[in-house]
Amino acid sequence: MSNVEFDGSHTPVKRGGQAVGYQGRKACKTSNSLYMSDKQGGMLAMASPQEGQHHDLYQIEALFKEVCAMLKEAGIQLERLFLNADPGFFNKACEQEGIIANVKPNPSNGTNKNEEPYQGGTHIFDEQLYKNTSVIEHANAWMDSFKALLIRFETSTRNWTSLSLIAFIAIFIRKLIKKINSKQLLFKKTLLL
């Protein structure tokens, strides 16, 4: 694992509960969750859900540290890892973990895309690497394939997070089975030759 993707997602909430707020863009109550995936779309970690009226950058450093703690607990090394994220995301939190942020400069801020806004080797912008950001969007869509996660009915953030982690495992198992089946098919084809 050389690089990871980081992004947030708003989920409509029907029964209220913890970490619920009105999101104008969605015209309903939502919860906002931040997710991290590997470069193949396998979900790795998520931060505690936040109230829906908050954007992805709300308490970003604390939530990012929470995600990093989850990864460290799983034995995943963070140092020298490349992280793709949307403009406006953090760099100090990445620097503390030894992660190299690959964040596209925001042209509306007047920053030049060739300019290196952060020093110390913790920030780069590589367009080829940044093209992988669609992977996290696909991973979020895979999460939506679970009916229990498409709309949040859980009132407790603990239960909601637990369901999300179970979905991470299910997505991983699906990918693993698909990979095993393709290798078995390849093995059978080589035996026939």
Side-chain angles (χ1 to χ4, degrees):
M1 187 170 69
S2 59
N3 69 292
V4 292
E5 316 300 321
F6 193 70
D7 199 13
S9 179
H10 283 271
T11 303
V13 178
K14 293 298 178 192
R15 293 180 53 202
Q18 299 173 321
V20 174
Y22 185 78
Q23 170 54 255
R25 284 184 307 137
K26 303 276 185 181
C28 66
K29 291 182 179 180
T30 66
S31 286
N32 185 17
S33 300
L34 294 170
Y35 298 102
M36 187 176 284
S37 78
D38 64 15
K39 65 182 177 182
Q40 296 174 342
M43 291 298 220
L44 300 173
M46 79 178 273
S48 299
Q50 301 298 308
E51 295 177 0
Q53 75 268 19
H54 299 300
H55 52 75
D56 289 351
L57 298 178
Y58 178 73
Q59 295 184 348
I60 188 65
E61 289 200 29
L63 295 173
F64 183 71
K65 286 179 183 177
E66 186 180 322
V67 168
C68 289
M70 188 181 279
L71 294 174
K72 286 177 185 174
E73 190 176 327
I76 297 173
Q77 173 128 6
L78 301 177
E79 198 165 328
R80 301 270 186 231
L81 194 63
F82 289 94
L83 176 108
N84 286 330
D86 290 333
F89 274 90
F90 47 91
N91 282 291
K92 288 182 183 176
C94 288
E95 187 175 327
Q96 290 171 351
E97 298 294 340
I99 296 172
I100 302 166
N102 188 40
V103 179
K104 185 176 185 176
N106 188 346
S108 64
N109 289 349
T111 55
N112 182 349
K113 116 175 181 176
N114 298 323
E115 185 179 301
E116 186 79 19
Y118 301 97
Q119 302 301 319
T122 59
H123 178 274
I124 63 162
F125 178 62
D126 183 306
E127 277 191 60
Q128 197 65 30
L129 183 61
Y130 195 75
K131 287 180 182 178
N132 289 341
T133 55
S134 63
V135 168
I136 188 79
E137 303 299 339
H138 295 157
N140 283 335
W142 293 333
M143 294 286 289
D144 288 345
S145 70
F146 294 91
K147 299 281 186 203
L149 297 177
L150 184 59
I151 297 173
R152 180 180 160 190
F153 288 97
E154 299 294 325
T155 56
S156 159
T157 56
R158 180 178 173 208
N159 291 348
W160 173 250
T161 303
S162 297
L163 282 174
S164 297
L165 295 175
I166 291 169
F168 290 3
I169 294 166
I171 291 169
F172 175 75
I173 290 171
R174 283 182 192 168
K175 286 181 170 241
L176 193 60
I177 290 171
K178 190 175 182 180
K179 193 169 215 157
I180 289 170
N181 288 341
S182 68
K183 286 190 178 188
Q184 286 176 346
L185 183 64
L186 181 65
F187 180 71
K188 287 179 184 177
K189 283 182 181 179
T190 55
L191 286 178
L192 294 174
L193 295 174

